[in-house]
Structure formats: C-alpha cells, structure tokens
Amino acid sequence: MTTTTAEARRISVGIGQLALSRDPRDVLVAYGLGSCVGISCWDPEAKVAALAHILLPSSEGKRVDDREPARFADSGIDLLLQRLAEAGAVRRRLIVKVAGGAAVLGAANAEKFKIGVRNAEAITERLKHHGIRVAAADLGGTKGRTMELHVATGKTFVRTAASPASEL
C-alpha cells in the first residue's frame, strides 16, 4: 500500500465519514475497519473516487448527523452516491469494492450482536437497491483492516495488522 509518488496526499476517512476526490495525488484511507465496512467507489471515465467508512447497518429513521454523514449503511450509501453523481460519476461505470465487517469483539459479542455481519449485509443490499454490483470484497473474519483507494488508478488495497497489503 505504498503510494506511487512522493507528492501523494493521504486523506484519512474516519468513522462515519466519507471523502471524495478527483486529485490523482490523493489516497483515501479508512483505518480501523473492525465491524465497520469501507466502501470504495471509482468512476474510471470521470476519474472521481470516493470512500465511505460505515459504522452501523441502519439509521432506523434517525436524523443523520452532519458530522458523521456515513454513520449508517442506508443513509451513508445514498449520500455517497449522490455526491459521486454531483461530481460527474455515473452509477453504471462505478467500480465498487468493500472491506471490513469483522467480528473483533470476541466470539460471545460477535454471536450476540453480529454488527460486522449486519453491516456487510446492509451494505450489499443497499448497493443492490441502487443497481450497483460489488466488484470485490474482503468481509468477515476476526481481524480489523485498513482500506485505501488510490484516486489516480482506482486501485483499492486492504491490509490487516499482521498481513501485507493486497489489491481487491
């Protein structure tokens, strides 16, 4: 997950956040994807990229906080797609990849709450609702991940603390 130029700018996408860029020097990064799920989107024609860091599966009708616009899978994905469209992206051209949804809180809590599994399911369903197919995924397991999206190429990389980066 090394950047290709010395001028690369790493933009951290925190929990509940989303970021969009057209700058080929940018690398969008979501650190600490435990039960959270990262969604990378890239339109190769419009050369626009976006990354969202989803925390929970559903807003359940709650008002979305402007400080965490991607907190929930349903409203976060809707906003992500809206912002991509405003930037010139076209849904049918989007290359979408997802990672995270791990059970990092231990076996007992993982079985009780299943937040990671529920996040992954909610994201997959919401994308399907919008007619978007996931091109690649690295979901589940018990290890947290870091996901990064290189704006210049649309390449998405995922790594865990114990493993080197691999391209999705």
Side-chain angles (χ1 to χ4, degrees), residues 9-58:
R9 181 174 63 153
R10 298 176 73 76
I11 299 171
S12 180
V13 182
I15 295 171
Q17 300 296 305
L18 62 88
L20 186 135
S21 177
R22 292 176 160 283
D23 189 330
R25 296 171 298 178
D26 288 349
V27 178
L28 308 178
V29 186
Y31 297 99
L33 295 170
S35 58
C36 293
V37 175
I39 306 169
S40 76
C41 301
W42 190 63
D43 182 327
E45 192 173 314
K47 301 286 189 212
V48 62
L51 182 65
H53 189 150
I54 305 291
L55 176 65
L56 294 168
S58 174

Side-chain angles (χ1 to χ4, degrees), residues 11-12 27-28 37 52 59 67 78 104 109 116-117 132 135 146 149:
I11 299 171
S12 180
V27 178
L28 308 178
V37 175
S59 63
R67 292 170 300 189
D78 293 352
V104 295
N109 286 326
V117 170
I132 295 172
T146 292
L149 171 58

Side-chain angles (χ1 to χ4, degrees), residues 3 6 9-10 12 46-47 52 54 63 66 75 84 96 99-100 120 126-127 136 141 144-145:
T3 53
R9 181 174 63 153
R10 298 176 73 76
S12 180
K47 301 286 189 212
I54 305 291
R63 184 175 107 43
D66 291 339
S75 54
L84 280 161
V96 177
R126 194 64 179 185
L127 290 169
R145 298 165 176 86

Side-chain angles (χ1 to χ4, degrees), residues 148-160:
E148 68 178 40
L149 171 58
H150 293 246
V151 175
T153 61
K155 289 184 178 185
T156 299
F157 296 90
V158 177
R159 69 174 157 81
T160 67

Side-chain angles (χ1 to χ4, degrees), residues 69-156:
R71 182 177 185 86
F72 304 106
D74 53 357
S75 54
I77 289 171
D78 293 352
L79 181 60
L80 175 68
L81 294 174
Q82 175 189 329
R83 290 198 180 157
L84 280 161
E86 289 168 355
V90 176
R91 281 188 194 177
R92 66 177 162 69
R93 293 191 311 236
L94 288 177
I95 298 169
V96 177
K97 300 176 182 179
V98 296
V104 295
L105 301 176
N109 286 326
E111 190 57 36
K112 183 177 179 182
F113 300 111
K114 297 184 181 180
I115 297 296
V117 170
R118 290 174 44 220
N119 278 340
E121 289 171 352
I123 286 164
T124 301
E125 284 304 310
R126 194 64 179 185
L127 290 169
K128 192 183 297 182
H129 167 80
H130 286 288
I132 295 172
R133 180 184 66 81
V134 174
D138 183 7
L139 297 166
T142 58
K143 295 182 178 159
R145 298 165 176 86
T146 292
M147 179 184 216
E148 68 178 40
L149 171 58
H150 293 246
V151 175
T153 61
K155 289 184 178 185
T156 299

